[in-house]
Amino acid sequence: MSSTTGAFIAGGLAGCGAVTVTHPAETIKIRLQLQGELQSKGTAPRLYKGVFHGISTVLKNEGPRGLYRGLGCAYTYQLVLNGSRLGFYEPIRSSLATRVFGDATKQSVPINLMAGASSGVIGAALGSPFFLVKTRLQSYSPFLPVGTQHKYRNAIDGLRQIYGAEGVRGLYRGIGPAMVRTGFGSSVQLPTYFLAKRQLVKQLGMEEGPGLHLTSSAISGIVVCVFMHPPDTIMSRMYNQSGNLYKGAFDCLYSTIKAEGPLALYKGFTAHLARIWPHTILTLSLAEQTNRLLKLVETRVTS
């Protein structure tokens, strides 16, 4: 990794590149998660029947613009989230390794998990208002609405409306589930990625390069989706609620399972995998390449 600043820039830019490709799948995932909210199974209409049906339905009724609602907010969020995740991961990991083992280069699974979770939680907390507005923009549909509908002209209008109605507290609605969700994902994403890289080099003799980065990212993406999806569903519902439909994250979890069953926590899983798998591959692979370029720049500047 390059310097902390370089890693922050690399992570942010890589996240923006990835989200440009994966944003439509994220839109469908959110709508699937909100579909049938607090309605017993079998009674709620299925407006979106899966990833491909969802994409075709939105394209038919809203055009490409419908799939890319909230993209500006998504870019801002990625700059903050992935900048923090990749920027703070190594400093936190090396500091913990030095404190525990007296050696910053020492690799430890518990320390790697803690560093991943900590860097993710920092990014989630900083970017929460942008993810809040992004979720509401993506869930809005004038044709086939699911969940609570929020009509914002754009991201700035959304932030203004929320602040005007609820103040600063409203902008940070759902920050708890967001931090848990991102902590879950981050705690396994980077450690799994670096573990996969080491094992692929050791066991299969793969060399440093795009092939190794893509394979390691693909493995990491699957693991992330399995761990991250239940808190992601709770976060989507907490962000999208109007008023106080849920008293908190645990009330949302309890109410969802009570009304829809435990499998409701995995609503939209396929759409999430369709989004998180390429997103993880693109983010981590682009970050590696961006980091390499930044290292060259830093070397030339300091030499």
Side-chain angles (χ1 to χ4, degrees), residues 39-44 259-260 263:
Q39 298 178 50
S40 59
K41 190 176 181 180
T43 63
E260 305 168 58
L263 289 180

Side-chain angles (χ1 to χ4, degrees), residues 60-294:
K60 180 181 178 181
N61 291 285
E62 304 171 49
R65 184 179 179 181
L67 289 174
Y68 279 94
R69 290 184 190 276
L71 183 61
C73 259
Y75 282 146
T76 306
Y77 180 72
Q78 289 300 322
L79 284 170
V80 175
L81 173 67
N82 281 302
S84 297
R85 281 205 298 196
L86 274 70
F88 294 135
Y89 174 77
E90 185 57 29
I92 293 173
R93 189 209 63 76
S94 59
S95 295
L96 289 173
T98 300
R99 185 175 294 272
V100 176
F101 300 108
D103 180 3
T105 62
K106 176 75 175 179
Q107 293 293 330
S108 165
V109 172
I111 284 178
N112 293 351
L113 290 173
M114 186 174 294
S118 299
S119 60
V121 166
I122 292 170
L126 293 173
S128 186
F130 303 106
F131 205 102
L132 167 68
V133 176
K134 181 189 77 70
T135 299
R136 293 184 175 186
L137 285 168
Q138 288 178 290
S139 67
Y140 176 75
S141 172
F143 298 97
L144 294 172
V146 291
T148 304
Q149 296 289 282
H150 305 270
K151 191 173 182 179
Y152 304 140
R153 291 193 299 273
N154 49 48
I156 295 174
D157 180 55
L159 291 168
R160 183 186 59 78
Q161 284 195 41
I162 295 169
Y163 179 76
E166 305 173 59
V168 174
R169 185 176 180 181
L171 291 173
Y172 283 91
R173 177 192 291 271
I175 188 173
M179 292 168 69
V180 171
R181 171 249 194 199
T182 310
F184 268 57
S186 299
S187 68
V188 296
Q189 184 187 54
L190 292 177
T192 303
Y193 174 72
F194 289 122
L195 177 63
K197 275 184 68 177
R198 290 194 297 272
Q199 292 303 312
L200 288 169
V201 170
K202 182 179 179 181
Q203 303 296 334
L204 301 182
M206 293 186 70
E207 296 182 356
E208 185 71 25
L212 177 62
H213 302 160
L214 286 170
T215 307
S216 304
S217 302
I219 295 169
S220 177
I222 295 172
V223 177
V224 167
C225 196
V226 172
F227 280 87
M228 190 173 164
H229 194 77
D232 186 80
T233 299
I234 299 302
M235 182 202 66
S236 291
R237 295 189 170 193
M238 288 288 292
Y239 271 157
N240 196 62
Q241 70 174 325
S242 182
N244 294 299
L245 180 62
Y246 305 111
K247 298 173 184 176
F250 288 107
D251 179 56
C252 181
L253 175 65
Y254 173 77
S255 298
T256 298
I257 293 175
K258 182 181 179 181
E260 305 168 58
L263 289 180
L265 297 176
Y266 277 92
K267 277 187 174 182
F269 179 80
T270 305
H272 195 181
L273 185 60
R275 178 257 172 191
I276 201 71
W277 203 6
H279 187 90
T280 301
I281 291 171
L282 288 168
T283 298
L284 296 179
S285 298
L286 287 171
E288 289 273 16
Q289 303 310 313
T290 308
N291 247 321
R292 182 175 296 177
L293 290 174
L294 287 171

